[in-house]
Amino acid sequence: MNTLLITGTRTGVGKALAEHFLDRGDRVVGCSRKSSTIDHANYSHHEADLTEPTAVKAMFREIRREHGHLDTLVNNAGTSNMNHFMTTPETVAREIFDINFFAVLNCCREAAKLLQKSEEPAPSILNVSTVAVPWALEGQLAYSASKSAVEQLTRVMSKELAGFSIRVNGIGLPPVRTVLTRTLPTEMVDDLIGRQAIKRMCTMADIVGPVEFLVSRASGFVTGETLFLGGVN
Ligand SMILES: NC(=O)c1ccc[n+]([C@@H]2O[C@H](COP(=O)([O-])OP(=O)(O)OC[C@H]3O[C@@H](n4cnc5c(N)ncnc54)[C@H](OP(=O)(O)O)[C@@H]3O)[C@@H](O)[C@H]2O)c1
């Protein structure tokens, strides 16, 4: 039974991933600012705002006390914002970076200590990114820049953690139906899907398989990569 920490498990992609790994028989630790929406014997939830470094440290202290180690960290919690950069206040851009980049950096730093205690041959970190990066989408400057930073973190950290046998990869998602995308105009979603090689909406079922591969020993020789779904090139 592997122990995974998945951030942002109250809704959307994080919740679907948590439920998938629980169904598979793993132990999942999840977190979000609000209370849990998952009820399962092998699931525990931390109410924590990951933009608060002290809350991140406190959560990892509890995880260490309770489980002693981690086999996987999935940095999924995130937010987006649709706005021309000229009408995006600096405070909004900083808030996006706080959760999408700095929270990831802080979780990785804490998790690396617990991943080193894993008995798995290829423990790993998986960072969630977006097609907004390779497509340089208009109206998503702060969001895509924060995820670009995460992709660079993935590459650099894969080298810095290789000596500890910890792999670091990413998964790049096209539009998926969640709280994050529910307000996007249909024409915009259709336009994005039109850019994919596989011209249909990505579903949770499309995501769990690649995620399972990237955090399993089957991908034990893969690190520093961000795998994009749907055919984005
Ligand atoms: N949906 C898409 O089309 C799409 C496409 C590409 C990439 N992505 C990426 O996929 C990831 C998940 O997105 P989603 O669509 O599933 O969004 P979502 O449904 O809004 O889920 C985001 C999760 O993160 C948690 N969260 C947000 N801010 C937090 C904070 N400060 N501290 C702790 N938890 C926090 C939320 O719970 P609380 O509100 O309770 O904190 C929620 O559980 C994100 O990184 C997003 O950028 C999504």
Side-chain angles (χ1 to χ4, degrees), residues 2-95:
N2 280 347
T3 303
L4 299 90
L5 169 60
I6 303 174
T7 66
T9 43
R10 186 176 64 81
T11 54
V13 175
K15 182 174 183 180
L17 290 177
E19 288 175 339
H20 172 77
F21 285 101
L22 288 165
D23 283 350
R24 232 187 49 159
D26 290 319
R27 183 181 294 118
V28 176
V29 181
C31 67
S32 61
R33 289 163 300 180
K34 299 183 193 147
S35 55
S36 172
T37 54
I38 301 174
D39 183 17
H40 192 287
N42 291 331
Y43 180 77
S44 55
H45 193 84
H46 295 259
E47 276 178 46
D49 184 341
L50 298 178
T51 64
E52 297 287 343
T54 50
V56 171
K57 282 197 174 224
M59 177 176 81
F60 276 93
R61 260 198 311 276
E62 277 180 52
I63 295 171
R64 191 188 52 208
R65 209 174 301 130
E66 209 173 323
H67 305 290
H69 79 287
L70 279 175
D71 301 303
T72 301
L73 164 66
V74 180
N75 284 307
N76 163 79
T79 192
S80 72
N81 170 270
M82 284 286 303
N83 242 328
H84 194 285
F85 87 93
M86 291 183 72
T87 53
T88 306
E90 184 186 329
T91 46
V92 172
R94 285 187 186 274
E95 279 165 16

XYZ file of all heavy atoms in Angstrom, residues 2-95:
729
model
N 0.794 2.061 -1.065
C 1.580 3.296 -1.129
C 0.866 4.428 -0.404
O -0.354 4.441 -0.298
C 1.820 3.704 -2.581
C 2.961 2.915 -3.192
O 3.719 2.242 -2.485
N 3.076 2.989 -4.505
N 1.656 5.383 0.077
C 1.083 6.559 0.728
C 1.340 7.773 -0.154
O 2.496 8.111 -0.436
C 1.715 6.770 2.127
O 1.515 5.569 2.881
C 1.086 7.940 2.844
N 0.236 8.388 -0.613
C 0.340 9.546 -1.505
C -0.199 10.784 -0.813
O -1.247 10.702 -0.151
C -0.499 9.350 -2.771
C -0.200 8.205 -3.706
C -1.000 6.975 -3.305
C -0.577 8.590 -5.131
N 0.463 11.904 -0.997
C -0.120 13.194 -0.631
C -0.549 13.861 -1.927
O 0.274 14.064 -2.839
C 0.899 14.081 0.099
C 0.477 15.552 0.295
C -0.813 15.675 1.103
C 1.597 16.349 0.957
N -1.843 14.152 -2.033
C -2.370 14.863 -3.204
C -2.945 16.185 -2.696
O -3.797 16.182 -1.794
C -3.476 14.045 -3.914
C -2.944 12.664 -4.316
C -4.019 14.802 -5.127
C -4.001 11.723 -4.898
N -2.496 17.298 -3.245
C -3.014 18.584 -2.773
C -4.252 18.979 -3.578
O -4.389 18.614 -4.745
C -1.947 19.697 -2.868
O -1.646 19.934 -4.251
C -0.667 19.315 -2.117
N -5.157 19.698 -2.924
C -6.369 20.165 -3.614
C -7.334 19.050 -3.937
O -7.797 18.907 -5.073
N -7.688 18.266 -2.907
C -8.525 17.079 -3.134
C -10.017 17.326 -2.873
O -10.808 16.401 -2.947
C -8.065 15.925 -2.210
O -7.809 16.464 -0.918
C -6.839 15.235 -2.748
N -10.395 18.583 -2.563
C -11.816 18.805 -2.250
C -12.681 18.708 -3.501
O -13.827 18.262 -3.439
C -12.006 20.186 -1.586
C -13.421 20.428 -1.091
C -13.536 21.745 -0.353
N -13.271 22.905 -1.186
C -14.144 23.477 -2.013
N -15.369 22.977 -2.092
N -13.819 24.522 -2.740
N -12.135 19.122 -4.647
C -12.934 19.136 -5.893
C -12.055 18.690 -7.068
O -10.851 18.472 -6.912
C -13.420 20.574 -6.202
O -12.271 21.428 -6.211
C -14.429 21.076 -5.190
N -12.675 18.605 -8.237
C -11.973 18.513 -9.513
C -10.975 17.372 -9.674
O -11.205 16.233 -9.237
N -9.863 17.717 -10.306
C -8.847 16.715 -10.673
C -8.287 16.042 -9.424
O -8.116 14.819 -9.386
C -7.706 17.396 -11.478
C -6.584 16.420 -11.761
C -8.255 17.992 -12.782
N -8.006 16.826 -8.388
C -7.417 16.272 -7.163
C -8.332 15.254 -6.510
O -7.879 14.194 -6.053
N -9.617 15.561 -6.485
C -10.581 14.623 -5.883
C -10.649 13.336 -6.705
O -10.630 12.222 -6.152
C -11.968 15.277 -5.795
C -12.993 14.385 -5.139
C -14.320 15.075 -4.927
C -15.260 14.136 -4.187
N -16.569 14.693 -3.937
N -10.702 13.482 -8.040
C -10.771 12.293 -8.907
C -9.523 11.429 -8.729
O -9.615 10.188 -8.676
C -10.907 12.735 -10.371
N -8.353 12.071 -8.618
C -7.115 11.291 -8.433
C -7.127 10.581 -7.082
O -6.767 9.402 -6.978
C -5.886 12.208 -8.527
C -5.556 12.765 -9.910
C -4.357 13.708 -9.828
C -5.271 11.632 -10.899
N -7.555 11.303 -6.036
C -7.599 10.695 -4.698
C -8.509 9.466 -4.723
O -8.132 8.389 -4.225
C -8.088 11.715 -3.670
N -9.680 9.606 -5.316
C -10.626 8.484 -5.350
C -10.060 7.315 -6.152
O -10.243 6.149 -5.789
C -11.977 8.960 -5.915
C -12.691 9.850 -4.907
C -13.981 10.469 -5.425
O -14.163 10.570 -6.654
O -14.800 10.888 -4.582
N -9.334 7.626 -7.217
C -8.733 6.557 -8.032
C -7.722 5.746 -7.208
O -7.753 4.513 -7.204
C -8.048 7.153 -9.265
C -7.249 6.164 -10.034
N -7.834 5.235 -10.880
C -5.916 5.904 -10.057
C -6.897 4.464 -11.400
N -5.715 4.851 -10.921
N -6.816 6.457 -6.515
C -5.778 5.736 -5.769
C -6.370 5.018 -4.549
O -5.887 3.950 -4.176
C -4.629 6.683 -5.393
C -3.756 7.014 -6.582
C -3.881 8.213 -7.256
C -2.835 6.083 -7.053
C -3.104 8.496 -8.380
C -2.040 6.353 -8.166
C -2.178 7.561 -8.831
N -7.422 5.582 -3.965
C -8.095 4.877 -2.853
C -8.733 3.581 -3.363
O -8.612 2.528 -2.732
C -9.151 5.791 -2.211
C -8.596 6.954 -1.385
C -9.684 7.992 -1.104
C -7.965 6.454 -0.077
N -9.380 3.652 -4.524
C -10.003 2.455 -5.126
C -8.940 1.392 -5.399
O -9.212 0.195 -5.335
C -10.671 2.795 -6.476
C -12.005 3.496 -6.273
O -12.475 3.549 -5.131
O -12.552 4.012 -7.282
N -7.718 1.857 -5.730
C -6.625 0.926 -6.051
C -6.033 0.288 -4.803
O -5.164 -0.574 -4.883
C -5.537 1.716 -6.776
C -5.096 1.137 -8.077
C -3.917 1.893 -8.591
N -2.876 2.071 -7.579
C -1.605 2.335 -7.846
N -1.227 2.457 -9.088
N -0.727 2.486 -6.885
N -6.430 0.790 -3.625
C -5.940 0.209 -2.367
C -4.821 1.002 -1.723
O -4.184 0.512 -0.778
N -4.544 2.202 -2.221
C -3.499 3.024 -1.617
C -4.049 3.854 -0.459
O -5.261 3.959 -0.277
C -2.889 3.962 -2.678
C -2.061 3.194 -3.687
O -1.334 2.284 -3.280
O -2.165 3.498 -4.893
N -3.115 4.453 0.280
C -3.480 5.384 1.345
C -3.275 6.787 0.799
O -2.219 7.074 0.229
C -2.582 5.158 2.566
C -2.902 6.020 3.755
C -1.965 5.762 4.905
N -2.106 4.445 5.473
C -1.138 3.525 5.496
N 0.050 3.781 4.992
N -1.341 2.349 6.047
N -4.299 7.647 0.940
C -4.193 9.002 0.400
C -4.358 10.033 1.510
O -5.302 9.964 2.302
C -5.251 9.263 -0.709
C -5.186 10.716 -1.195
C -5.053 8.305 -1.885
N -3.405 10.948 1.553
C -3.524 12.124 2.410
C -3.862 13.269 1.467
O -3.187 13.450 0.447
C -2.190 12.420 3.134
C -2.334 13.624 4.050
C -1.708 11.195 3.902
N -4.924 14.005 1.796
C -5.321 15.114 0.934
C -5.373 16.406 1.711
O -5.263 16.405 2.944
N -5.552 17.498 0.998
C -5.683 18.786 1.689
C -6.400 19.794 0.816
O -6.462 19.662 -0.408
C -4.315 19.322 2.092
S -3.286 19.776 0.694
N -6.964 20.780 1.472
C -7.567 21.951 0.813
C -7.906 22.925 1.934
O -7.802 22.576 3.103
C -8.832 21.563 0.030
O -9.799 21.040 0.903
N -8.327 24.145 1.538
C -8.655 25.126 2.592
C -9.937 24.737 3.308
O -10.074 24.939 4.497
C -8.804 26.523 1.977
C -7.487 27.121 1.520
C -7.702 28.258 0.580
N -8.432 27.820 -0.618
C -8.779 28.591 -1.620
N -8.478 29.873 -1.591
N -9.423 28.106 -2.669
N -10.887 24.179 2.560
C -12.172 23.808 3.166
C -12.175 22.328 3.523
O -11.236 21.596 3.204
C -13.308 24.153 2.202
C -13.368 25.643 1.902
C -14.522 25.986 1.006
C -14.375 27.405 0.465
N -14.921 27.558 -0.872
N -13.296 21.892 4.135
C -13.302 20.520 4.671
C -13.429 19.464 3.570
O -13.820 19.753 2.438
C -14.414 20.372 5.706
O -15.621 20.743 5.118
N -13.166 18.243 3.962
C -13.087 17.120 3.022
C -14.430 16.790 2.377
O -15.485 16.942 2.988
C -12.591 15.900 3.789
O -12.667 14.765 2.972
N -14.378 16.310 1.127
C -15.574 15.784 0.472
C -15.394 14.290 0.198
O -16.143 13.699 -0.564
C -15.816 16.526 -0.865
O -14.606 16.437 -1.645
C -16.177 17.979 -0.652
N -14.352 13.700 0.798
C -14.073 12.271 0.578
C -14.188 11.550 1.914
O -13.597 11.964 2.905
C -12.649 12.060 0.006
C -12.498 12.797 -1.323
C -12.337 10.573 -0.158
C -11.081 12.765 -1.902
N -14.962 10.469 1.893
C -15.146 9.677 3.111
C -14.645 8.258 2.816
O -15.294 7.514 2.081
C -16.642 9.672 3.473
C -16.888 8.931 4.768
O -15.926 8.723 5.520
O -18.068 8.560 5.014
N -13.471 7.924 3.323
C -12.885 6.614 3.026
C -11.926 6.259 4.160
O -11.216 7.146 4.670
C -12.125 6.667 1.693
C -11.719 5.343 1.152
N -10.693 4.593 1.701
C -12.205 4.611 0.115
C -10.556 3.470 1.007
N -11.464 3.455 0.048
N -11.881 4.990 4.535
C -11.055 4.569 5.681
C -9.576 4.898 5.475
O -8.864 5.181 6.450
C -11.233 3.068 5.889
N -9.112 4.873 4.230
C -7.682 5.117 3.971
C -7.389 6.548 3.542
O -6.339 6.822 2.964
C -7.162 4.150 2.898
C -7.115 2.731 3.421
O -6.935 2.521 4.617
N -7.310 1.771 2.523
N -8.368 7.434 3.814
C -8.176 8.837 3.434
C -8.135 9.732 4.665
O -8.964 9.604 5.555
C -9.316 9.309 2.518
C -9.166 10.755 2.104
C -8.250 11.127 1.126
C -9.935 11.756 2.715
C -8.092 12.452 0.770
C -9.781 13.083 2.351
C -8.861 13.428 1.375
O -8.701 14.746 1.015
N -7.156 10.611 4.718
C -7.159 11.627 5.778
C -6.999 12.994 5.133
O -6.313 13.136 4.094
C -6.057 11.376 6.797
O -4.819 11.297 6.145
N -7.651 13.990 5.738
C -7.698 15.324 5.119
C -7.127 16.373 6.053
O -7.416 16.370 7.251
C -9.154 15.671 4.797
C -9.295 16.852 3.898
N -9.214 16.750 2.526
C -9.485 18.173 4.162
C -9.369 17.952 1.983
N -9.533 18.834 2.962
N -6.326 17.248 5.489
C -5.794 18.379 6.255
C -6.411 19.656 5.713
O -6.336 19.896 4.506
C -4.272 18.461 6.122
C -3.581 17.288 6.726
N -2.983 17.338 7.967
C -3.426 16.023 6.285
C -2.479 16.157 8.250
N -2.735 15.336 7.244
N -7.012 20.426 6.585
C -7.511 21.736 6.167
C -6.359 22.712 6.293
O -5.965 23.073 7.403
C -8.692 22.168 7.034
C -9.994 21.590 6.540
C -11.184 21.960 7.408
O -11.310 23.138 7.769
O -11.963 21.049 7.723
N -5.801 23.084 5.168
C -4.625 23.947 5.201
C -4.623 24.854 3.985
O -4.923 24.408 2.867
C -3.348 23.094 5.188
N -4.287 26.134 4.199
C -4.080 27.043 3.083
C -2.605 26.946 2.702
O -1.724 27.379 3.444
C -4.446 28.477 3.492
C -4.325 29.442 2.320
O -3.646 29.111 1.325
O -4.917 30.532 2.404
N -2.340 26.354 1.552
C -0.953 26.068 1.153
C -0.154 27.324 0.823
O 1.055 27.247 0.631
C -0.939 25.103 -0.037
C -1.564 23.725 0.225
C -1.518 22.888 -1.048
C -0.866 23.007 1.368
N -0.838 28.471 0.762
C -0.084 29.711 0.540
C 0.520 30.228 1.847
O 1.251 31.207 1.833
C -0.971 30.817 -0.086
O -2.005 31.153 0.834
C -1.575 30.358 -1.393
N 0.186 29.550 2.965
C 0.755 29.924 4.268
C 1.887 28.947 4.597
O 1.622 27.775 4.942
C -0.317 29.798 5.376
C -1.505 30.715 5.208
C -1.143 32.164 5.519
O -0.101 32.397 6.159
O -1.893 33.049 5.084
N 3.147 29.387 4.515
C 4.263 28.462 4.757
C 4.173 27.745 6.108
O 4.539 26.572 6.212
C 5.497 29.373 4.697
C 5.067 30.520 3.843
C 3.613 30.726 4.108
N 3.644 28.424 7.129
C 3.553 27.769 8.448
C 2.512 26.636 8.415
O 2.699 25.603 9.060
C 3.182 28.769 9.563
O 2.046 29.506 9.124
C 4.320 29.716 9.886
N 1.438 26.844 7.641
C 0.409 25.795 7.528
C 0.981 24.580 6.786
O 0.682 23.424 7.118
C -0.811 26.338 6.796
N 1.824 24.844 5.789
C 2.453 23.740 5.039
C 3.351 22.934 5.981
O 3.274 21.703 6.028
C 3.266 24.285 3.834
C 4.087 23.186 3.180
C 2.328 24.929 2.821
N 4.165 23.634 6.753
C 5.081 22.933 7.683
C 4.296 22.119 8.696
O 4.650 20.970 8.994
C 5.972 23.947 8.404
C 7.106 24.433 7.527
C 8.195 25.091 8.357
C 9.346 25.424 7.442
N 10.628 25.167 7.842
N 3.224 22.715 9.235
C 2.414 22.014 10.247
C 1.790 20.751 9.645
O 1.767 19.684 10.277
C 1.326 22.945 10.784
N 1.308 20.856 8.394
C 0.701 19.686 7.745
C 1.733 18.569 7.578
O 1.463 17.404 7.878
C 0.142 20.101 6.379
C -0.455 18.953 5.596
S -1.189 19.498 4.049
C 0.253 19.624 3.004
N 2.938 18.919 7.143
C 3.964 17.888 6.940
C 4.439 17.290 8.257
O 4.747 16.099 8.329
C 5.129 18.439 6.108
C 4.858 18.361 4.635
C 4.306 19.433 3.964
C 5.108 17.195 3.924
C 4.017 19.353 2.605
C 4.832 17.100 2.571
C 4.282 18.189 1.896
N 4.434 18.110 9.331
C 4.780 17.553 10.659
C 3.784 16.470 11.042
O 4.148 15.386 11.488
C 4.760 18.667 11.728
C 6.148 19.204 12.077
C 6.144 19.959 13.390
N 5.102 20.957 13.521
C 5.171 22.199 13.051
N 6.250 22.608 12.427
N 4.173 23.051 13.212
N 2.492 16.768 10.805
C 1.447 15.779 11.126
C 1.578 14.530 10.262
O 1.402 13.408 10.741
C 0.059 16.387 10.926
C -0.423 17.212 12.106
C -1.811 17.779 11.856
O -2.713 17.005 11.496
O -1.961 19.011 11.988
N 1.881 14.725 8.984
C 2.030 13.567 8.085
C 3.191 12.696 8.559
O 3.090 11.464 8.602
C 2.240 14.029 6.613
C 0.993 14.745 6.099
C 2.575 12.841 5.715
C 1.161 15.418 4.745
N 4.308 13.352 8.953
C 5.473 12.577 9.420
C 5.123 11.792 10.677
O 5.456 10.622 10.815
C 6.652 13.514 9.688
C 7.969 12.749 9.915
C 9.080 13.646 10.358
N 8.651 14.435 11.501
C 9.114 15.623 11.823
N 10.023 16.191 11.090
N 8.675 16.263 12.878
N 4.374 12.451 11.576
C 3.994 11.785 12.831
C 3.069 10.589 12.540
O 3.219 9.532 13.113
C 3.271 12.791 13.738
C 3.444 12.499 15.224
C 2.828 13.589 16.089
N 3.371 14.915 15.875
C 2.639 16.022 15.660
N 1.330 15.956 15.614
N 3.214 17.185 15.489
N 2.152 10.799 11.606
C 1.140 9.770 11.345
C 1.654 8.631 10.468
O 1.360 7.459 10.699
C -0.050 10.441 10.647
C -1.378 9.753 10.933
C -2.542 10.568 10.360
O -2.484 11.813 10.411
O -3.457 9.937 9.837
N 2.440 8.979 9.419
C 2.829 7.962 8.430
C 4.334 7.716 8.347
O 4.754 6.696 7.812
C 2.316 8.356 7.034
C 0.841 8.605 6.988
N -0.090 7.601 7.127
C 0.133 9.749 6.850
C -1.313 8.108 7.055
N -1.200 9.415 6.899
N 5.136 8.679 8.791
C 6.593 8.490 8.805
C 7.270 8.669 7.459
O 8.475 8.889 7.401
N 6.537 8.549 6.384
C 7.140 8.663 5.048
C 6.056 9.020 4.031
O 4.856 8.998 4.357
C 7.763 7.321 4.640
C 6.737 6.340 4.166
N 5.853 5.693 5.018
C 6.400 5.929 2.914
C 5.051 4.911 4.310
N 5.357 5.037 3.040
N 6.490 9.315 2.808
C 5.572 9.443 1.664
C 6.186 8.691 0.492
O 7.420 8.636 0.368
C 5.397 10.909 1.252
C 4.425 11.791 2.040
C 4.517 13.234 1.521
C 2.987 11.281 1.937
N 5.337 8.128 -0.377
C 5.835 7.503 -1.609
C 5.644 8.438 -2.808
O 6.372 8.327 -3.793
C 5.105 6.177 -1.856
C 5.320 5.219 -0.692
O 6.495 4.925 -0.379
O 4.330 4.800 -0.055
N 4.640 9.326 -2.710
C 4.310 10.218 -3.829
C 3.757 11.538 -3.315
O 2.982 11.549 -2.355
C 3.200 9.568 -4.711
O 3.673 8.315 -5.205
C 2.821 10.447 -5.879
N 4.132 12.612 -3.983
C 3.466 13.918 -3.777
C 2.903 14.348 -5.119
O 3.649 14.405 -6.111
C 4.474 14.967 -3.289
C 4.006 16.435 -3.402
C 2.829 16.728 -2.466
C 5.154 17.407 -3.139
N 1.601 14.645 -5.171
C 1.012 15.231 -6.376
C 0.639 16.676 -6.061
O -0.245 16.931 -5.243
C -0.239 14.446 -6.850
C -0.820 15.107 -8.109
C 0.097 12.985 -7.133
N 1.343 17.608 -6.687
C 1.050 19.035 -6.513
C -0.040 19.417 -7.497
O 0.242 19.779 -8.647
C 2.312 19.867 -6.765
C 3.272 19.795 -5.606
O 2.894 20.055 -4.455
N 4.509 19.420 -5.872
N -1.291 19.306 -7.037
C -2.433 19.561 -7.900
C -3.140 20.881 -7.568
O -3.657 21.541 -8.461
C -3.419 18.385 -7.769
C -4.796 18.741 -8.285
O -5.041 18.747 -9.497
N -5.722 19.053 -7.378
N -3.178 21.268 -6.289
C -3.925 22.475 -5.897
C -3.453 23.663 -6.726
O -2.253 23.866 -6.913
C -3.724 22.768 -4.409
N -4.406 24.418 -7.233
C -4.013 25.562 -8.048
C -5.216 26.416 -8.366
O -6.361 26.045 -8.098
N -4.918 27.564 -8.951
C -6.010 28.446 -9.363
C -5.659 29.058 -10.706
O -4.507 28.995 -11.151
C -6.230 29.547 -8.304
O -7.464 30.210 -8.587
C -5.107 30.574 -8.288
N -6.662 29.628 -11.384
C -6.377 30.301 -12.656
C -7.112 31.630 -12.682
O -7.923 31.921 -11.804
C -6.799 29.429 -13.835
O -8.203 29.409 -13.910
N -6.832 32.392 -13.701
C -7.445 33.701 -13.805
C -7.422 34.098 -15.273
O -6.428 33.891 -15.949
C -6.597 34.676 -12.947
C -7.005 36.105 -13.169
O -6.475 36.776 -14.049
N -7.938 36.574 -12.384
N -8.545 34.579 -15.767
C -8.639 34.986 -17.175
C -8.731 36.495 -17.233
O -9.759 37.051 -16.846
C -9.924 34.402 -17.786
C -9.869 32.932 -18.098
S -8.885 32.594 -19.541
C -9.718 33.585 -20.761
N -7.685 37.141 -17.677
C -7.714 38.593 -17.771
C -6.565 39.091 -18.634
O -5.476 38.509 -18.599
C -7.556 39.212 -16.375
C -8.778 40.013 -15.991
O -9.430 40.597 -16.848
N -9.094 40.024 -14.713
N -6.812 40.134 -19.369
C -5.713 40.811 -20.061
C -4.720 41.264 -19.003
O -5.134 41.706 -17.920
C -6.274 42.023 -20.820
C -5.330 42.593 -21.817
N -4.244 43.357 -21.468
C -5.314 42.490 -23.172
C -3.598 43.728 -22.558
N -4.224 43.208 -23.613
N -3.423 41.200 -19.321
C -2.445 41.547 -18.271
C -2.577 42.992 -17.814
O -2.295 43.331 -16.672
C -1.008 41.253 -18.751
C -0.346 42.363 -19.519
C 0.453 43.297 -18.872
C -0.535 42.487 -20.891
C 1.062 44.333 -19.577
C 0.061 43.516 -21.594
C 0.856 44.445 -20.939
N -3.087 43.865 -18.729
C -3.190 45.274 -18.346
C -4.282 45.514 -17.313
O -4.280 46.538 -16.637
C -3.429 46.135 -19.586
C -2.194 46.171 -20.470
S -2.393 47.234 -21.887
C -2.328 48.838 -21.108
N -5.202 44.556 -17.203
C -6.265 44.716 -16.198
C -6.112 43.674 -15.087
O -7.065 43.371 -14.371
C -7.660 44.609 -16.847
O -7.707 43.388 -17.599
C -7.940 45.778 -17.755
N -4.919 43.099 -14.989
C -4.652 42.157 -13.890
C -3.826 42.878 -12.833
O -2.645 43.165 -13.060
C -3.859 40.924 -14.393
O -4.567 40.339 -15.485
C -3.668 39.889 -13.288
N -4.430 43.196 -11.679
C -3.651 43.885 -10.651
C -2.507 43.003 -10.156
O -2.593 41.764 -10.191
C -4.664 44.107 -9.514
C -6.003 43.815 -10.093
C -5.805 42.918 -11.263
N -1.443 43.647 -9.709
C -0.278 42.903 -9.220
C -0.668 41.943 -8.092
O -0.156 40.825 -8.012
C 0.797 43.871 -8.723
C 2.056 43.143 -8.288
C 3.087 44.067 -7.658
O 3.161 45.243 -8.036
O 3.816 43.584 -6.766
N -1.607 42.392 -7.222
C -2.004 41.525 -6.100
C -2.574 40.198 -6.616
O -2.300 39.144 -6.050
C -3.080 42.203 -5.224
O -4.055 42.750 -6.082
C -2.491 43.270 -4.325
N -3.351 40.272 -7.708
C -3.952 39.047 -8.269
C -2.858 38.141 -8.830
O -2.842 36.926 -8.598
C -4.997 39.406 -9.356
C -5.473 38.160 -10.086
C -6.167 40.154 -8.738
N -1.911 38.745 -9.553
C -0.812 37.958 -10.130
C -0.007 37.288 -9.008
O 0.376 36.113 -9.115
C 0.080 38.849 -10.976
N 0.226 38.022 -7.928
C 0.991 37.448 -6.804
C 0.219 36.311 -6.129
O 0.809 35.308 -5.735
C 1.348 38.519 -5.774
C 2.470 39.428 -6.237
C 2.937 40.374 -5.138
N 3.896 41.320 -5.662
C 5.209 41.065 -5.753
N 5.707 39.922 -5.342
N 6.019 41.972 -6.265
N -1.110 36.476 -6.016
C -1.925 35.399 -5.403
C -1.838 34.119 -6.239
O -1.775 33.017 -5.700
C -3.395 35.852 -5.295
C -3.647 36.730 -4.088
C -4.983 37.482 -4.168
O -5.845 37.098 -4.989
O -5.133 38.456 -3.416
